């Protein structure tokens, strides 16, 4: 049976991603000085304005929020006042408070310690919130990620590359792309549609923009055998001069599907950027990806989704669910997940090294599928074999 699946990605100049990048830059700055920092940083931005909000608990004497925000904006590429938003002239407002003591109580001393008197060191830290987190892996691509989101990220990353290199000097920081893949069963066989929208200078012609993006972005990213006679849309409105925070308000955490698997599976709803690892929205999602990737790499299945549920203040998850979509034995995969992997927050943080300032690297072009990130390692084969 043929079916078509689409996924989108955005560049680092998209207003929501500007906010995510500022939030993760502030998080990294806190962790560089105090690895135990509890950070929940939210950012919003609009024309000429950035507002930083959230709850911080850290031993760090001072976090220069304004300096970090301006540096992050400049790194993205907003350095020209003509864009309506730039690192030197935008206002940066700080509205940061301390973490709620009610939340801190559950993280500092989990219910397993307070009520059950556990002495296990991994029972000490409770989950920073309740919720369901999802992990996923499949054999469609080298990264063990779904092909639609993989291609979408490659398209937006290439947009940024040709802008920064000057190869397409008329491009500006804001942009997005969508890839639609035709599947025969579980196998992607062709690209049906590519949509690329990029902010640009006002003096470039529509034809020059289209030709440049097709030749320097689309054809360099999408394999020829998949591209075939695909429909390619470039800036469908015909004009995208006003963009970034001057064109649309940005808010942290609005690109959660872009950040994960492009809609291939369900999403629990929790955002990642700006949150330290005590927030299982982030850390447990990373660990669930780690588990799924190792299950696929070990040959347990060709495709797997894992859902893990948490209660705030409790170290041990309240539920685990595994679906191999008929490519493996669900019962076996669940048993491996339960026996070979430890989903308690303290264990996850230690295993993946999540007290280190690694988060700016995650912000753009997806939190999964990047080989240099610790949750992308394939080092659990022996543990899987032992079950």
């Amino acid at each position: 049976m043929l079916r078509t699946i689409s996924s989108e990605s955005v560049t680092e100049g998209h207003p929501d991603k500007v906010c995510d990048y500022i939030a993760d830059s502030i998080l990294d700055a806190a962790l560089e000085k105090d690895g135990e920092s509890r950070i929940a940083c939210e950012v919003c931005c609009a024309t000429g304005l950035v507002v930083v909000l959230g709850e911080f608990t850290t031993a760090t004497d001072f976090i220069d929020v304004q300096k970090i925000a301006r540096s992050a904006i400049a790194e993205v590429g907003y350095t020209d006042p003509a864009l309506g938003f730039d690192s030197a002239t935008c206002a940066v407002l700080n509205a940061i408070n301390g973490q709620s003591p009610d939340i801190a109580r559950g993280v500092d001393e989990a219910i397993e310690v307070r009520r059950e008197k556990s002495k296990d060191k991994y029972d000490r830290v409770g989950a920073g919130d309740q919720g369901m987190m999802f992990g996923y892996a499949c054999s469609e691509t080298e990264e063990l990620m779904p092909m639609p989101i993989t291609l979408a990220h490659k398209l937006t990353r290439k947009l940024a590359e040709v802008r920064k290199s000057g190869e397409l000097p008329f491009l500006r920081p804001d942009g997005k792309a969508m890839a639609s893949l035709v599947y025969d069963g579980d196998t992607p066989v062709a690209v049906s549609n590519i949509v690329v929208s990029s902010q640009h200078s006002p003096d470039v012609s529509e034809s020059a923009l289209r030709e440049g993006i097709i030749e320097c972005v689309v054809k360099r990213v999408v394999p020829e055998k998949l591209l075939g006679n695909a429909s390619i849309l470039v800036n469908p409105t015909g004009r995208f001069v006003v963009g970034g925070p001057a064109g649309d308000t940005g808010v942290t955490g609005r690109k959660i599907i872009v950040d994960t698997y492009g809609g291939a599976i369900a999403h629990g709803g929790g955002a990642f950027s700006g949150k330290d690892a005590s927030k299982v929205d982030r850390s447990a999602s990373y660990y669930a990806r780690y588990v799924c990737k190792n299950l696929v790499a070990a040959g347990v299945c060709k495709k797997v989704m894992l859902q893990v549920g948490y209660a705030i203040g409790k170290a041990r998850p309240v539920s685990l669910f595994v679906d191999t979509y008929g490519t493996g034995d669900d019962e076996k995969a669940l048993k491996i997940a339960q026996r070979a992997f430890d989903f308690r927050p303290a264990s996850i943080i230690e295993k993946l090294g999540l007290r280190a300032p690694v988060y700016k690297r995650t912000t753009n072009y997806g939190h999964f599928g990047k080989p240099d990130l610790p949750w992308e390692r394939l080092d659990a084969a022996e543990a899987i074999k032992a079950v």
Side-chain angles (χ1 to χ4, degrees), residues 279-341:
K279 283 75 175 175
V280 285
D281 288 341
R282 188 169 210 167
S283 55
S285 295
Y286 290 172
Y287 194 66
R289 162 65 177 172
Y290 171 72
V291 174
C292 288
K293 189 173 182 183
N294 277 275
L295 287 171
V296 171
V300 174
C301 49
K302 292 183 179 180
K303 180 165 65 171
V304 61
M305 182 272 289
L306 184 149
Q307 183 204 72
V308 53
Y310 287 92
I312 188 169
K314 189 177 188 316
R316 298 174 186 270
V318 297
S319 67
L320 276 178
F321 169 71
V322 172
D323 186 354
T324 63
Y325 304 93
T327 69
D329 184 329
D330 289 357
E331 241 181 82
K332 178 182 177 183
L334 177 60
K335 185 169 79 169
I336 291 170
Q338 290 171 326
R339 297 184 182 180
F341 298 94

Side-chain angles (χ1 to χ4, degrees), residues 140-327:
E140 291 175 25
T141 61
E142 182 181 346
E143 299 89 351
L144 302 186
M145 288 285 288
M147 188 171 286
I149 190 65
T150 298
L151 283 181
H153 285 323
K154 288 180 178 179
L155 288 165
T156 49
R157 189 185 288 273
K158 183 60 71 175
L159 264 182
E161 286 177 9
V162 297
R163 170 179 64 86
K164 293 175 181 179
S165 70
E167 185 174 6
L168 296 183
F170 45 79
L171 297 185
R172 288 179 169 177
D174 195 359
K176 56 174 58 177
M178 185 167 68
S180 301
L181 272 289
V182 178
Y183 282 72
D184 186 354
D186 286 334
T187 304
V189 294
V191 172
S192 62
N193 292 274
I194 295 289
V195 184
V196 180
S197 296
S198 179
Q199 185 186 15
H200 58 83
S201 61
D203 54 352
V204 65
S205 69
E206 191 173 341
S207 59
L209 178 73
R210 175 179 168 80
E211 181 182 354
I213 287 178
I214 289 176
E215 295 299 322
C216 300
V217 178
V218 176
K219 288 186 177 179
R220 292 182 187 175
V221 165
V222 184
E224 188 176 351
K225 66 178 182 178
L226 288 176
L227 189 58
N229 296 315
S231 169
I232 302 174
L233 290 173
V234 175
N235 282 22
T237 70
R239 187 173 172 84
F240 187 2
V241 173
V242 179
D248 189 12
T249 300
V251 180
T252 316
R254 279 207 299 211
K255 288 293 174 281
I256 57 177
I257 301 301
V258 171
D259 287 344
T260 53
Y261 305 101
I265 63 165
H267 195 292
F272 297 161
S273 289
K275 296 177 180 177
D276 74 273
S278 71
K279 283 75 175 175
V280 285
D281 288 341
R282 188 169 210 167
S283 55
S285 295
Y286 290 172
Y287 194 66
R289 162 65 177 172
Y290 171 72
V291 174
C292 288
K293 189 173 182 183
N294 277 275
L295 287 171
V296 171
V300 174
C301 49
K302 292 183 179 180
K303 180 165 65 171
V304 61
M305 182 272 289
L306 184 149
Q307 183 204 72
V308 53
Y310 287 92
I312 188 169
K314 189 177 188 316
R316 298 174 186 270
V318 297
S319 67
L320 276 178
F321 169 71
V322 172
D323 186 354
T324 63
Y325 304 93
T327 69

Side-chain angles (χ1 to χ4, degrees), residues 3-257:
R3 58 199 175 105
T4 302
I5 299 175
S6 299
S7 293
E8 73 161 349
S9 177
V10 298
T11 65
E12 61 253 46
H14 187 284
D16 293 333
K17 275 294 153 197
V18 172
C19 294
D20 285 347
Y21 193 60
I22 293 170
D24 278 334
S25 297
I26 291 169
L27 171 60
D28 275 1
L31 293 174
E32 281 173 4
K33 296 182 178 180
D34 175 17
E36 301 290 328
S37 295
R38 303 261 180 85
I39 306 294
C41 183
E42 308 285 350
V43 180
C44 61
C45 64
T47 305
L49 175 67
V50 172
V51 182
V52 181
L53 312 99
E55 299 78 45
F56 291 19
T57 299
T58 178
T60 304
D61 292 333
F62 177 64
I63 300 173
D64 193 338
V65 168
Q66 184 162 139
K67 182 179 179 180
I68 294 166
R70 294 188 189 284
S71 177
I73 294 164
E75 288 172 27
V76 167
Y78 287 111
T79 56
D80 183 354
L83 298 180
F85 182 81
D86 76 285
S87 59
T89 65
C90 69
V92 180
L93 305 184
N94 184 336
I96 295 169
N97 295 304
Q99 186 182 46
S100 160
D102 296 336
I103 295 174
R105 179 174 182 264
V107 176
D108 291 339
E109 191 176 47
I111 196 170
E112 286 84 350
V113 172
R114 285 185 287 113
R115 295 184 186 174
E116 300 166 17
K117 309 304 179 187
S118 171
K119 302 298 183 183
D120 189 323
K121 69 174 184 176
Y122 295 130
D123 278 340
R124 182 179 59 83
V125 177
D129 203 352
Q130 75 171 44
M132 316 86 66
M133 291 80 210
F134 291 85
Y136 183 73
C138 61
S139 55
E140 291 175 25
T141 61
E142 182 181 346
E143 299 89 351
L144 302 186
M145 288 285 288
M147 188 171 286
I149 190 65
T150 298
L151 283 181
H153 285 323
K154 288 180 178 179
L155 288 165
T156 49
R157 189 185 288 273
K158 183 60 71 175
L159 264 182
E161 286 177 9
V162 297
R163 170 179 64 86
K164 293 175 181 179
S165 70
E167 185 174 6
L168 296 183
F170 45 79
L171 297 185
R172 288 179 169 177
D174 195 359
K176 56 174 58 177
M178 185 167 68
S180 301
L181 272 289
V182 178
Y183 282 72
D184 186 354
D186 286 334
T187 304
V189 294
V191 172
S192 62
N193 292 274
I194 295 289
V195 184
V196 180
S197 296
S198 179
Q199 185 186 15
H200 58 83
S201 61
D203 54 352
V204 65
S205 69
E206 191 173 341
S207 59
L209 178 73
R210 175 179 168 80
E211 181 182 354
I213 287 178
I214 289 176
E215 295 299 322
C216 300
V217 178
V218 176
K219 288 186 177 179
R220 292 182 187 175
V221 165
V222 184
E224 188 176 351
K225 66 178 182 178
L226 288 176
L227 189 58
N229 296 315
S231 169
I232 302 174
L233 290 173
V234 175
N235 282 22
T237 70
R239 187 173 172 84
F240 187 2
V241 173
V242 179
D248 189 12
T249 300
V251 180
T252 316
R254 279 207 299 211
K255 288 293 174 281
I256 57 177
I257 301 301

